[in-house]
Amino acid sequence: MQIEIRKARIADAEAIGYVHYHAWLETYAGCIDTKYLAGMSEQKSAEIFKKNRCQDMIVAGIDQKIVGFCGYGKARDEDAADTCGEIHGIYVLQKYQRMSLGKQLLERAKMELSSQGYQTVCLWVLGTNQSAMDFYEKNGFFLDGKEKIETLGKPIVEKRYRCIL
């Protein structure tokens, strides 16, 4: 089994869309409104990544098949300092979890953000996703006290985590 962690290319958009769609179904079934999830598709996900040309993304591949990805960039929150980056999302297909791919994606994204001059990084986690919260805490992130309500079919609570680079 050959593992590869690399920057995404525009040609990866379809595969990233596949991972995005299926990882959402695997991760959020029962946590996010079923009508919202039913409105998603591989094609809609792929279009998102084609539109942004897969910029500021890292992919994880096993035997040349993309099975995970991480998007990152400037923090989007109004209260974020200019020196704060953000992990926009990190997803690994369930079959490939617990193989250190998430950790490798996270570390590579943190390295990229640091090289762009960011001093801290934040990310948002669904308040009911204990597995993700445990993962981020294990990898140096801490709750910073900020929460927000997102409406994904129905209101959900997200919690913000932060890490010093």
Side-chain angles (χ1 to χ4, degrees):
M1 175 172 52
Q2 182 180 359
I3 296 175
E4 179 183 30
I5 306 294
R6 64 168 173 80
K7 282 194 164 190
R9 301 182 284 261
I10 185 68
D12 298 326
E14 294 287 334
I16 295 169
Y18 175 90
V19 171
H20 182 256
Y21 173 70
H22 289 279
W24 266 67
L25 294 180
E26 293 169 350
T27 303
Y28 300 127
C31 300
I32 291 179
D33 185 64
T34 54
K35 289 179 184 175
Y36 183 86
L37 290 174
M40 295 180 68
S41 71
E42 287 180 39
Q43 184 61 34
K44 287 179 183 177
S45 291
E47 289 301 320
I48 293 167
F49 302 111
K50 285 179 188 175
K51 185 177 179 179
N52 77 7
R53 307 189 54 77
C54 297
Q55 290 184 313
D56 295 329
M57 297 190 75
I58 306 295
V59 294
I62 293 186
D63 298 331
Q64 300 182 339
K65 176 185 176 187
I66 293 174
V67 298
F69 72 93
C70 179
Y72 59 91
K74 180 176 178 17
R76 299 171 286 185
D77 298 324
E78 286 182 16
D79 67 342
D82 289 339
T83 56
C84 185
E86 181 178 350
I87 301 293
H88 297 153
I90 182 169
Y91 295 97
V92 175
L93 293 172
Q94 198 169 44
K95 177 180 175 181
Y96 300 98
Q97 292 177 6
R98 310 275 187 257
M99 299 174 68
S100 86
L101 297 175
K103 180 181 175 90
Q104 291 180 61
L105 287 166
L106 184 61
E107 289 304 314
R108 178 70 182 269
K110 286 167 58 177
M111 183 181 75
E112 294 290 335
L113 288 165
S114 180
S115 74
Q116 293 176 16
Y118 295 106
Q119 297 171 5
T120 60
V121 61
C122 66
L123 55 84
W124 289 93
V125 179
L126 184 64
T128 58
N129 191 343
Q130 191 61 50
S131 176
M133 291 187 282
D134 292 345
F135 170 77
Y136 291 119
E137 289 171 12
K138 183 178 175 183
N139 285 283
F141 284 79
F142 57 90
L143 281 168
D144 74 359
K146 182 91 172 188
E147 292 186 357
K148 67 180 177 180
I149 305 289
E150 288 287 334
T151 302
L152 302 178
K154 63 180 180 181
I156 59 166
V157 175
E158 289 187 307
K159 298 179 178 190
R160 188 168 66 186
Y161 278 77
R162 186 173 301 278
C163 179
I164 297 169
L165 295 174

